[in-house]
Amino acid sequence: MSRFVLITPNTDFDARVRQALAGGLPGGLQTFAAINPADPGELFANLNQERPEVLILGPGVPVEDALTLATVFGVQVPELSVVLVGEPDPSFVLLAMRAGIRDILSPESDPVQIRMQLERACQSFTSRSRTAAVQQSESPKGLVIGVFSPKGGVGKTTIATNIAIGLGRVAPMGVVIVDLDLQFGDVASGLYLNPEHTVTDAVSAAASQDSLVLKAFLTVHPGNIYALCGPRTPEEADDITPQQVTRLLEQLAEQFQYVVVDTAPGLPEVGLAALEQCTDVVWVTAMDVPSIRGLRSGLQILRRLDLLPESRHVVLNMADSKSGLSVQDVEATIGAPVDVSIPRSKAVAFSTNRGIPVLQDGRKDPAVKGLRQLVARFDPAWRATAQKKLHRRVVV
């Protein structure tokens, strides 16, 4: 079994690596002179068969190819430690980290320096493998609360940010809100944040392999929560896949008691991937015919696809008795009861424009009561009581 795999056409560097291993670092070495990043099948076969601990991208491997290979390996073999041989330019280091490269080694390194770097890479491999095994066997996962609406303009982001702020009081620093409206998300403005990092960073190979790296990309909010805001430009959304979103939510659920997910209107692929990870779904509709009918259609589609989580919460937002519709009309149309009704409120609109959720603002308003009722549905005490009531109904 080869513990180390080296890609380089440079025979001198290959000799130095072999000398480093001979100097006291156990494990075989297999060298490839070159690998096509568009078709790394030979190397994948080697990794799957041999399960090496360290991949070294040596001198002679083009930087773009190295970053591509590291990103692909980060998804296929997440525990693998990838070491790149190159000059540690500060701007390049960030790109390398995002691609999942663990260390950068100078091409002029002598065998002693190489051995020390490879020892560290092996320790990193062991640590990640052990952590992953413990998380899979022992760690309870937090609630993943998705906020959905087939139609836009119903106050979905306002609901999501207030849920996160409310839960921040239940579990301080145990809450993260994720903006998965990847093209036009408003979580950052809704929380008055100017994030340094976004979802784009959080789905990188480095973050998907290491939850500590992922947590470094989160933004701390004064409401005792974390936020992961949407990409800076709509174009960045094209590079984020449903598989990456699935992995992201899995990681966050292992780290936080509550993961609140604000989604794009409709049912895009990324939204469906998020839905499959949700333990709870909050369906938001306004008190108008288009949004109510849209919710009915969306629920019908998801029932046919068998994608509806058992724990669902229907929120009637901006409820207004003067709209010509009643709560009963809404329930009859969507075929489900309304769990929480939040009245139309100037205070909520004002707080949204300020970037301070009304539950953080602390002002008194009829809408606040409805929002608190919604947040309470995710409190462990409320859920335990609800489960007991359900159990009694089943027994009777």
Side-chain angles (χ1 to χ4, degrees), residues 168-307:
R169 297 180 179 178
V170 176
M173 306 314 294
V175 182
V176 59
I177 181 170
V178 183
D179 193 345
L180 286 186
D181 187 347
L182 299 177
Q183 290 187 313
F184 305 107
D186 287 323
V187 166
S189 60
L191 293 174
Y192 200 66
L193 293 173
N194 184 22
E196 182 179 353
H197 302 288
T198 69
V199 173
T200 304
D201 302 296
V203 298
S204 65
S208 68
Q209 295 172 25
D210 193 330
S211 293
L212 289 177
V213 175
L214 170 60
K215 204 163 184 178
F217 292 141
L218 306 181
T219 303
V220 178
H221 183 269
N224 288 326
I225 66 171
Y226 289 92
L228 184 53
C229 300
R232 293 181 181 84
T233 64
E235 291 79 9
E236 291 183 37
D238 296 336
D239 298 325
I240 299 175
T241 67
Q243 293 76 18
Q244 289 175 315
V245 168
T246 296
R247 173 59 182 158
L248 171 65
L249 296 181
E250 288 176 343
Q251 285 180 281
L252 292 174
E254 292 169 353
Q255 298 291 318
F256 292 91
Q257 186 173 342
Y258 297 102
V259 181
V260 181
V261 184
D262 185 29
T263 61
L267 297 172
E269 286 188 69
V270 166
L272 291 175
L275 184 62
E276 291 186 284
Q277 297 302 312
C278 289
T279 59
D280 295 74
V281 173
V282 176
W283 299 103
V284 184
T285 181
M287 214 165 189
D288 60 80
V289 172
S291 60
I292 296 169
R293 286 181 173 173
L295 179 55
R296 179 185 63 185
S297 299
L299 292 176
Q300 289 173 345
I301 292 171
L302 293 173
R303 286 192 187 101
R304 289 198 296 268
L305 296 175
D306 195 24
L307 287 177

Side-chain angles (χ1 to χ4, degrees), residues 21-66:
L21 298 181
L25 192 59
L29 172 70
Q30 184 170 2
T31 301
F32 293 83
I35 287 290
N36 180 4
D39 183 24
E42 182 182 5
L43 188 55
F44 272 138
N46 176 78
L47 295 179
N48 291 331
Q49 180 179 357
E50 300 288 346
R51 308 304 292 175
E53 299 180 11
V54 181
L55 170 65
I56 310 160
L57 302 173
V61 178
V63 170
E64 290 186 2
D65 290 353

